[in-house]
Amino acid sequence: ADFSSAIEIEGNDYYALQRRWASTLMADPGEKNRARVKKHIASYVSAPDADAQHLLTAYYGYSYLQDRQNTSKILQRMLQHSNVDRLDTVLPALIVDAMLVTRSREERLQLAREFIQRYPDHLNLPTVLEMVFGGQNKNPSLYSFAGSLAATEPGNLYTRYYATAYSESAINSGKI
């Protein structure tokens, strides 16, 4: 399969290329084919004119490969990209998905901070806050996160509730 034909046929339809990657992997999920798709994604996203939509396309391509390391790298690039505002309809869901799969507490906190700063009124905000502060999570690094969250988002009721509740539980338990 020639991946360039997907772009030639569809023009600026970036989804054509990611559908092509997906169908190629469905037709032959072998390692040789996976390596070929992965190589094409890497060259596609390394182009000097790669914009936010290119990065999103690569993100989905790596997702089809179940390559969490590269999807995480691409997500970080999207968060740093100057024209990422065009992705505001999908980026919140990608951040939440990344928070669900990461095992790194530091990465989860960094993603939560990005989410809260970018989307303070998003419908998934309570989910993000619950993922960080919920359950029996008694990690000392969360106390400073809660304090900074309360300081940077004083007008947001959700963040104030979780940050205050977590800070108070830390104080009451003698942790701080």
Side-chain angles (χ1 to χ4, degrees):
D2 180 15
F3 298 118
S4 62
S5 65
I7 293 298
E8 288 174 16
I9 293 169
E10 297 292 334
N12 289 330
D13 182 4
Y14 296 101
Y15 296 106
L17 184 55
Q18 74 186 41
R19 288 190 303 265
R20 184 67 178 227
W21 291 331
S23 63
T24 299
L25 291 168
M26 287 176 65
D28 178 10
E31 283 305 312
K32 184 177 178 183
N33 200 35
R34 291 175 58 82
R36 192 169 69 83
V37 169
K38 189 172 184 174
K39 181 180 176 183
H40 190 265
I41 295 169
S43 68
Y44 176 76
V45 79
S46 67
D49 61 342
D51 63 10
Q53 190 63 49
H54 283 83
L55 294 174
L56 181 61
T57 302
Y59 178 92
Y60 286 128
Y62 284 128
S63 293
Y64 298 141
L65 290 167
Q66 297 177 345
D67 184 340
R68 285 185 22 205
Q69 182 178 4
N70 279 316
T71 54
S72 178
K73 287 178 183 177
I74 294 294
L75 179 59
Q76 291 304 317
R77 283 184 60 189
M78 282 191 283
L79 291 172
Q80 295 168 2
H81 201 277
S82 60
N83 289 331
V84 77
D85 296 345
R86 294 180 14 194
L87 303 179
D88 276 346
T89 57
V90 295
L91 199 52
L94 299 181
I95 294 171
V96 171
D97 289 348
M99 288 180 69
L100 288 169
V101 298
T102 187
R103 294 178 185 218
S104 165
R105 182 177 298 121
E106 292 76 26
E107 184 178 353
R108 190 173 299 115
L109 288 176
Q110 185 266 333
L111 289 166
R113 187 177 305 281
E114 284 284 344
F115 188 96
I116 293 163
Q117 288 173 347
R118 289 174 185 268
Y119 310 106
D121 298 323
H122 196 272
L123 66 102
N124 282 331
L125 180 64
T127 302
V128 168
L129 294 168
E130 186 64 30
M131 287 168 47
V132 172
F133 296 114
Q136 301 299 314
N137 209 345
K138 302 295 183 211
N139 186 305
S141 67
L142 290 180
Y143 303 133
S144 62
F145 181 76
S148 69
L149 188 60
T152 58
E153 296 290 335
N156 189 310
L157 294 177
Y158 282 120
T159 57
R160 191 171 63 209
Y161 168 78
Y162 277 94
T164 304
Y166 200 83
S167 296
E168 286 177 5
S169 71
I171 292 168
N172 292 337
S173 69
K175 298 282 185 184
I176 55 174

